[in-house]
Amino acid sequence: MAAPSAAPRSALQQKGLMTADRGRRILGVYGMHPDHQEALKKNRVVLAKQLLLSELLEHLLEKDIITLEMREHIQAKVCSFSQNVELLNLLPKRGPQAFDAFCEVLHS
């Protein structure tokens, strides 16, 4: 019986490396830094009560943090508190630049 060839083994190893690399890239591209997530979480109630959403959404749309569909989904919520909560739910999924853009918009 012949020994398994090196090609399938290296292909499997390569696939494992590619999967691990893809996981790192996804987190790096799409994931918000854990410290930023924690800051949003700690200030969630205050933000949900006080955000003035209409202008904020336009700025986040302009900066490609949210899409038109996301804006419509947020605005479809019944009250401003629910709209703000929906935005706070989306932000951590919008990439590492989302927190900085959010803070920049809040300061302007």
Side-chain angles (χ1 to χ4, degrees):
M1 180 178 227
S5 68
R9 189 176 326 142
S10 70
L12 288 175
Q13 290 171 342
Q14 184 177 5
K15 183 178 179 184
L17 291 174
M18 287 173 35
T19 302
D21 183 51
R22 185 178 64 145
R24 283 190 295 274
R25 282 186 284 131
I26 287 172
L27 178 61
V29 173
Y30 298 111
M32 182 180 278
H33 191 278
D35 291 343
H36 295 163
Q37 290 180 16
E38 187 64 24
L40 288 175
K41 183 179 174 184
K42 284 184 177 181
N43 296 290
R44 187 174 179 84
V45 173
V46 171
L47 289 168
K49 287 181 179 179
Q50 296 183 1
L51 287 177
L52 301 175
L53 208 58
S54 59
E55 188 175 341
L56 178 64
L57 289 177
E58 295 306 315
H59 284 287
L60 293 175
L61 184 64
E62 180 180 69
K63 295 175 180 294
D64 292 323
I65 302 301
I66 63 168
T67 64
L68 284 170
E69 293 79 16
M70 290 173 181
R71 182 186 68 180
E72 290 170 7
H73 178 75
I74 291 167
Q75 290 175 329
K77 299 295 179 186
V78 178
C79 65
S80 62
F81 185 85
S82 296
Q83 291 174 348
N84 291 342
V85 166
E86 190 62 31
L87 174 63
L88 294 171
N89 289 339
L90 283 173
L91 276 177
K93 303 170 191 163
R94 300 307 300 157
Q97 75 284 0
F99 184 81
D100 290 336
F102 177 69
C103 290
E104 181 182 323
V105 171
L106 290 179
H107 286 142
S108 63

